[in-house]
Amino acid sequence: MNRRPVFLISCLCFGFAFFYIPILSLIVFSFNKSRLATVWGGFSTQWYAKLLDNDQVIKAAVLSLQIAVTTATFATVLGTMAGIALARFQRFRGRAGLSGLVTAPLVMPEVITGISLLMLFIYMAEWIGWPGSRGFTTITIAHITFSMTYVAVIVQSRLTSMDLSLEEAAMDLGARPWRVLVDVTLPVIAPALLSGWLLAFTISLDDVVITSFTSGPGSTTLPIYIWSKVKLGVTPDINALATVIILTVGIGVALAAYIMHRAEARRERDVQMALSQDTP
Amino acid sequence: MAPFIRIDRVSKRFGTFMAVNDVSLDIMKGEMFALLGGSGCGKTTLLRMLAGFESPSEGRIFIDGQDMAKIPPYERPVNMMFQSYALFPHMTVEANVGYGLKYEDISKAERAERVRAMLELVQLGAFAGRKPHQLSGGQRQRVALARALAKQPKLLLLDEPLAALDKKLREHTQFEIMSIQERMGITFVVVTHDQEEAMTLADRIAVMDKGVIRQVGPPADVYEHPNSSFVAGFIGSINMFDAEVTPGGAATTLDVPALGGEVRASAKDIEPGRKVKLAVRPEKIALSRERPADGNCFPGVVKDLGYFGKDSLFRVALASGALVKVNSVNSSRDGAARAADWGEKVWISFEPSAAIVLTD
């Protein structure tokens, strides 16, 4: 009986090690005094200071955030519309086509999406003179096209599991279809919209492949910057940058988990209290 | 008086499935009407057609003289209370109840006043600021009722209004719904699979089966004078036997092999030789140790005895092997005074008027 827990615990430890040792080593080496990525030369925070002085990094980070926010917002609007169409309208001309097109980018290799968008932008520039140069706009358009499909899938599945009688009740009480959407449907699926937005934001923020096809000179996003630096060898300042990103994401996730846990606990308490009141 | 709701030869097809099949029904103003049937009998589809969520494949529906064919749900003078209650989870009780008034042409103050009055009516005034998840099942049910009544509809539809409540709360709520209906004079149409619920709530019941209405009438009529063996078997508990009408004098007599003899029934003239079904309600049968002087009586042995407190259910085995259910009220606290005990030889008897003769 004693052997099983030992086996299970070692499996768990191995799993944790597998996930976190690379990240830990990266964080540790970001405090390395030496320029060489693989030789420990003593503790130092100099790379963090250098990072703040590095205009290129700051500019790339700001551009990435701008693109990610714009992408996530547009992708959520378009993806929600597609999701509603797929979940709520059972029969319309081109439904199968839309359904296929919405899910295609999920399985399409990014390289192909990237090349096709690049070709499109080049031809468009030739025929209608737009886009004159590739940069913020072209990257954002490219990101929207593939991240909206994730939003559409999330919204569609949330809508399918939503109680249809909520919408019917609103309509029954005199709300026209548009008011039903605004008053009931969207508020009820708000958590799905938020997670769709966040997913689109993350996907846009860390995309390298499609961005590299659709970016132009002077529009370097953070992942592209890191990628181009690493090609010349891993340096401690990249480790420092990665550590900052990990910390930001880590704190964000922990905070979200804490807030959700608290809301869940409060809700649970409310429900328990309410159930104890049932006396005729 | 013209009927308030007129359902005129309405059918509804889903693909090849006939959910509602050529149904015609008139419902009067201020009536409490129940659609009763098992799952898949078409009662909910019929209700949803009244609300406007489904449109009839054939036939027409009139509410208050107006053809409903082209009228969307949000323009009908009809409100519905959903089985799941369908309370908006992100709105307070107050906002839920007031939602229907939002798009009506009334002032904010009047709206607030009407919401307050509605919450008062269902005794939830103190809960106005709560969200649905902070309410118990019974409270949610009352919010749903208040929300459906707030627009003062001409017709209120209730889809299994009590299904989600436990037994005690159910009885209480039943009477609450009835008193609200009487006070406001609104026409109610209730869908239910629970025959007791239908019988206590409704002025008239329509029994549905496979998309067809089998019988319409007041609860007592449907219970005491079922028009078919389906209705007789669906409503309440019943003993049913194959029988044949024997040629005879003025009174109808039946040959019932399962009972091992002839039964006199006060039924209208049915031609002799016809194969029929004899049905007798368990509470209409008497149990005695001695042979009764009068009535249809047959000897048997008590096989099972179920004690329910206020009454007991006996199952009596006859010589033919048939089992007859007999229901008798426990009017005495003395156990020995019970009509019979396990294994005891008894006589079952019933009046000719208790015998229901079914020709289908």
Side-chain angles (χ1 to χ4, degrees):
Chain A
M1 281 311 282
N2 217 7
R3 296 179 85 98
R4 261 182 101 88
V6 172
F7 175 70
L8 287 177
I9 288 168
S10 32
C11 279
L12 186 68
C13 290
F14 177 77
F16 276 129
F18 189 79
F19 281 125
Y20 291 112
I21 283 183
I23 293 175
L24 272 178
S25 68
L26 184 148
I27 293 174
V28 169
F29 275 97
S30 73
F31 294 104
N32 191 357
K33 202 170 205 162
S34 158
R35 257 221 82 82
L36 295 165
T38 47
V39 181
W40 182 253
F43 182 82
S44 155
T45 54
Q46 55 169 322
W47 303 112
Y48 288 91
K50 278 218 171 125
L51 203 60
L52 283 177
D53 286 340
N54 189 337
D55 278 350
Q56 264 185 303
V57 171
I58 305 293
K59 242 181 79 186
V62 169
L63 181 68
S64 271
L65 284 174
Q66 282 172 336
I67 291 173
V69 168
T70 318
T71 297
T73 307
F74 276 93
T76 304
V77 173
L78 293 172
T80 303
M81 281 158 61
I84 289 174
L86 288 174
R88 284 291 180 265
F89 301 100
Q90 289 311 311
R91 277 191 304 253
F92 59 89
R93 197 179 290 190
R95 186 181 194 282
L98 179 64
S99 168
L101 282 174
V102 161
T103 40
L106 295 178
V107 291
M108 188 85 76
E110 279 188 55
V111 182
I112 298 192
T113 311
I115 292 175
S116 62
L117 282 161
L118 175 62
M119 304 259 281
L120 174 78
F121 290 139
I122 289 172
Y123 284 130
M124 275 173 71
E126 225 167 84
W127 289 335
I128 61 169
W130 185 91
S133 69
R134 288 186 296 281
F136 177 84
T137 313
T138 51
I139 298 171
T140 308
I141 290 173
H143 284 190
I144 292 170
T145 54
F146 75 99
S147 61
M148 69 163 271
T149 69
Y150 291 86
V151 181
V153 170
I154 292 177
V155 168
Q156 188 190 353
S157 74
R158 178 67 191 92
L159 280 174
T160 331
S161 66
M162 177 182 165
D163 184 6
L164 256 181
S165 58
L166 286 179
E167 288 171 2
E168 287 177 346
M171 207 183 280
D172 186 64
L173 290 165
R176 286 162 184 281
W178 171 252
R179 296 301 328 177
V180 174
L181 180 74
V182 175
D183 291 346
V184 175
T185 315
L186 291 181
V188 169
I189 65 166
L193 298 186
L194 181 64
S195 54
W197 192 93
L198 285 172
L199 188 62
F201 179 82
T202 337
I203 289 171
S204 163
L205 200 60
D206 74 356
D207 178 75
V208 177
V209 180
I210 291 174
T211 311
S212 64
F213 280 104
T214 50
S215 66
S219 60
T220 309
T221 63
L222 200 57
I224 297 277
Y225 173 79
I226 295 172
W227 176 243
S228 61
K229 288 281 283 193
V230 169
K231 273 194 285 193
L232 308 169
V234 181
T235 51
D237 56 342
I238 293 297
N239 283 345
L241 177 58
T243 306
V244 171
I245 294 174
I246 290 167
L247 225 65
T248 316
V249 172
I251 290 172
V253 169
L255 206 69
Y258 172 71
I259 291 171
M260 262 162 61
H261 174 77
R262 238 187 29 181
E264 191 56 41
R266 189 182 318 130
R267 198 188 156 81
E268 192 62 33
R269 211 185 49 224
D270 283 350
V271 169
Q272 286 307 324
M273 266 172 59
L275 288 183
S276 63
Q277 291 163 353
D278 235 342
T279 43
Chain B
M1 197 169 91
F4 179 64
I5 304 172
R6 179 131 194 237
I7 298 170
D8 186 23
R9 308 205 60 183
V10 163
S11 295
K12 177 69 186 178
R13 262 186 300 272
F14 293 110
T16 55
F17 175 66
M18 281 294 249
V20 172
N21 193 351
D22 198 14
V23 163
S24 293
L25 201 58
D26 287 347
I27 298 172
M28 298 297 158
K29 196 166 183 65
E31 198 172 12
M32 175 81 108
F33 194 90
L35 293 167
L36 174 66
S39 62
C41 72
K43 58 189 194 299
T44 302
T45 308
L46 197 55
L47 194 77
R48 289 173 61 80
M49 285 195 279
L50 287 173
F53 299 134
E54 310 281 356
S55 49
S57 309
E58 275 153 46
R60 290 192 297 173
I61 294 174
F62 298 87
I63 296 176
D64 209 8
Q66 196 185 6
D67 190 347
M68 287 287 131
K70 292 272 181 325
I71 315 265
Y74 44 86
E75 280 169 8
R76 295 194 180 198
V78 175
N79 283 127
M80 178 154 164
M81 195 186 122
F82 290 78
Q83 185 176 6
S84 63
Y85 306 150
L87 298 180
F88 307 130
H90 56 292
M91 295 184 198
T92 60
V93 167
E94 203 170 13
N96 261 288
V97 174
Y99 186 79
L101 303 174
K102 212 167 132 181
Y103 301 113
E104 273 188 5
D105 195 20
I106 55 172
S107 70
K108 260 215 164 102
E110 196 191 334
R111 187 177 146 205
E113 175 50 35
R114 267 165 73 175
V115 170
R116 203 193 54 76
M118 273 300 133
L119 288 177
E120 219 46 52
L121 182 76
V122 296
Q123 297 150 36
L124 282 175
F127 296 87
R130 294 227 188 160
K131 292 274 184 72
H133 75 266
Q134 293 168 314
L135 300 175
S136 70
Q139 291 164 345
R140 279 179 218 183
Q141 197 263 2
R142 269 143 57 202
V143 175
L145 185 62
R147 186 179 69 177
L149 286 169
K151 285 190 76 175
Q152 298 170 349
K154 292 180 187 171
L155 169 63
L156 188 73
L157 308 171
L158 301 109
D159 189 3
E160 305 272 1
L162 307 174
L165 303 180
D166 60 40
K167 202 167 182 295
K168 274 260 161 62
L169 204 56
R170 231 175 152 126
E171 267 173 26
H172 178 81
T173 314
Q174 223 163 45
F175 289 111
E176 219 169 52
I177 290 180
M178 284 163 77
S179 87
I180 286 174
Q181 196 258 349
E182 272 161 30
R183 255 185 291 166
M184 302 186 81
I186 300 173
T187 310
F188 276 39
V189 176
V190 185
V191 150
T192 177
H193 68 278
D194 183 334
Q195 33 144 326
E196 272 182 39
E197 189 175 314
M199 303 244 266
T200 32
L201 279 176
D203 299 325
R204 279 198 305 152
I205 297 176
V207 183
M208 285 188 78
D209 177 43
K210 297 191 189 106
V212 181
I213 290 185
R214 301 296 295 262
Q215 188 170 359
V216 186
D221 254 24
V222 176
Y223 184 78
E224 304 292 4
H225 304 284
N227 63 0
S228 60
S229 43
F230 172 81
V231 174
F234 186 78
I235 309 254
S237 169
I238 203 154
N239 296 294
M240 226 183 298
F241 308 103
D242 288 320
E244 197 180 317
V245 181
T246 52
T252 309
T253 49
L254 307 168
D255 178 33
V256 189
L259 294 178
E262 286 210 331
V263 167
R264 281 181 294 121
S266 50
K268 289 150 275 137
D269 33 14
I270 307 162
E271 75 268 29
R274 177 143 183 200
K275 298 253 190 268
V276 293
K277 283 213 161 66
L278 166 72
V280 190
R281 298 276 181 204
E283 76 278 6
K284 307 274 192 298
I285 304 179
L287 214 56
S288 55
R289 294 193 168 91
E290 261 96 68
R291 186 191 170 120
D294 210 9
N296 301 300
C297 45
F298 305 96
V301 176
V302 175
K303 192 142 184 293
D304 282 314
L305 198 170
Y307 177 72
F308 299 128
K310 69 177 195 304
D311 57 359
S312 295
L313 182 70
F314 296 84
R315 292 211 296 163
V316 178
L318 302 184
S320 68
L323 285 173
V324 179
K325 287 176 279 185
V326 180
N327 206 235
S328 81
V329 177
N330 296 321
S331 49
S332 163
R333 287 176 66 196
D334 185 3
R338 262 202 311 242
D341 229 321
W342 276 278
E344 219 177 313
K345 283 194 178 146
V346 290
W347 288 85
I348 59 164
S349 60
F350 53 91
E351 296 294 317
S353 64
I356 305 165
V357 181
L358 300 163
T359 50
D360 73 330

